[in-house]
Amino acid sequence: MWLKSKDSDHLSRLRQISNFYHHSVVLAKKAYNAALVSDCKSQPRKLWQTINTLLHRKPPTALPSAESNTSLPDTFSSFFTDKISKLHSSLTSNANHCSSPHTDPPYAPAVLDNFNPVTEDEIVNFIRQSPDKQCDLDPIPTSLLKQCVHILAPVITTIVNLSLRNGTFPSDFKRAVVTPLLKKPSLDKESLSNYRPISNLSFLSKLTERIVKDRITDHLAANSMFNSFQSAYTKFHSTETTLLALHDDLINAMDKQQVTGLTLLDLSAAFDTIDHSILLKRLSS
């Protein structure tokens, strides 16, 4: 109306309505963002991901210089493989002078000689609770899988149960898309040692792995086989419970006029240095 009439009253009304509109948009954005933050306030990792998304904070992809795009993956692959080989060879040479680190349990634990088959309802619950992350190896997106879960659940249940019954993890499930990620933005991107390999497995692989993990965890918990000092990967334990226990020990020691010494160990490439023979021995005994 103002464009047609150029009337001052219409201009005043236009400004008033425009201000109301922009104010409403700001309030709507605030309410929406506040709801996003509130929904994940008890999940620190998801909370930081949400905040970074809201602030458009996404670090640029950093990769070292290479003669071609085809040579860079081979270079990374060789580096990561050689790194593990060198770690294992150094550990093997040192282990020759030591006795076996494995000790038999003080009593014969309950036998776990088979995994209970998974039900369709369990598969449906696992899939619906999973985040919408996906891998390039997946035939369909996870979000679409969730929409079709009532159709695909019987097939997936059969696949997982075949794996559990035969004690075989399919070769296709062991394939991963590996992405080199710079450990810190401030590090030199030309040095391969500053990267860590991030493996992205297929959805079915992670689903089967999670079911096996839950079966083993339930067995360990039911038979009181967890280390009493372990906080990671145990129910109702976390870094928070660890810090609370540590804080309590420190306060009690101070009340008794005692001095406390604290030693913190940061293991380099901890998971890469796991000795599979020791791991298998522990699982079998």
Side-chain angles (χ1 to χ4, degrees):
M1 291 174 65
W2 174 76
L3 286 175
K4 292 180 179 179
S5 66
K6 302 298 181 181
D7 184 79
S8 59
D9 290 338
H10 288 161
L11 178 60
S12 176
R13 180 65 176 158
L14 172 62
R15 287 173 175 168
Q16 181 183 357
I17 293 175
S18 296
N19 290 336
F20 175 76
Y21 165 76
H22 290 296
H23 181 65
S24 299
V25 168
V26 170
L27 290 179
K29 286 183 177 180
K30 284 183 177 180
Y32 175 76
N33 293 341
L36 286 179
V37 173
S38 178
D39 288 343
C40 53
K41 62 183 180 182
S42 59
Q43 307 172 62
R45 184 175 181 180
K46 188 177 179 181
L47 176 62
W48 280 111
Q49 290 175 345
T50 301
I51 292 174
N52 288 333
T53 300
L54 293 176
L55 298 178
H56 305 287
R57 292 193 304 205
K58 186 177 180 180
T61 303
L63 291 172
S65 304
E67 295 180 359
S68 66
N69 291 335
T70 55
S71 65
L72 187 57
D74 291 335
T75 303
F76 267 117
S77 178
S78 299
F79 174 79
F80 290 137
T81 304
D82 292 343
K83 175 184 175 183
I84 296 176
S85 300
K86 291 176 181 177
L87 281 170
H88 282 197
S89 61
S90 64
L91 289 173
T92 304
S93 61
N94 291 332
N96 292 333
H97 305 288
C98 306
S99 58
S100 172
H102 176 76
T103 54
D104 291 326
Y107 59 89
V111 177
L112 176 63
D113 52 8
N114 63 78
F115 292 117
N116 293 328
V118 67
T119 64
E120 286 187 24
D121 289 339
E122 279 185 285
I123 290 293
V124 170
N125 289 333
F126 274 125
I127 292 176
R128 286 178 174 168
Q129 293 171 7
S130 300
D132 286 339
K133 295 179 180 179
Q134 61 197 54
C135 174
D136 291 339
L137 301 174
D138 291 327
I140 61 174
T142 306
S143 56
L144 180 58
L145 174 61
K146 289 182 176 180
Q147 297 175 29
C148 307
V149 67
H150 59 289
I151 300 173
L152 298 175
V155 180
I156 296 175
T157 304
T158 301
I159 293 173
V160 174
N161 280 332
L162 281 171
S163 176
L164 297 180
R165 186 167 65 246
N166 297 329
T168 303
F169 201 65
S171 298
D172 282 350
F173 286 9
K174 299 177 185 178
R175 296 178 61 216
V177 176
V178 181
T179 304
L181 185 67
L182 195 63
K183 296 176 182 178
K184 292 181 181 179
S186 58
L187 296 176
D188 180 14
K189 70 174 187 176
E190 299 299 330
S191 175
L192 298 183
S193 60
N194 291 332
Y195 291 84
R196 63 164 56 95
I198 305 298
S199 298
N200 194 1
L201 295 160
S202 66
F203 182 85
L204 271 183
S205 174
K206 290 184 286 189
L207 180 66
T208 308
E209 182 182 336
R210 182 178 175 187
I211 291 168
V212 171
K213 188 268 295 182
D214 283 356
R215 295 287 194 269
I216 294 177
T217 301
D218 290 344
H219 175 77
L220 295 176
N223 294 279
S224 303
M225 296 169 68
F226 277 118
N227 189 306
S228 59
F229 296 104
Q230 177 177 333
S231 283
Y233 314 113
T234 52
K235 198 172 184 179
F236 305 124
H237 290 73
S238 64
T239 51
E240 185 175 1
T241 54
T242 304
L243 291 173
L244 283 172
L246 181 60
H247 181 266
D248 186 58
D249 290 339
L250 293 172
I251 295 300
N252 286 331
M254 291 172 64
D255 287 343
K256 298 175 183 178
Q257 302 294 308
Q258 295 176 341
V259 176
T260 300
L262 178 64
T263 301
L264 301 174
L265 301 179
D266 183 12
L267 304 180
S268 178
F271 284 98
D272 290 335
T273 57
I274 290 176
D275 188 309
H276 286 195
S277 62
I278 297 175
L279 177 61
L280 292 172
K281 177 70 175 176
R282 289 180 65 84
L283 286 171
S284 65
S285 63

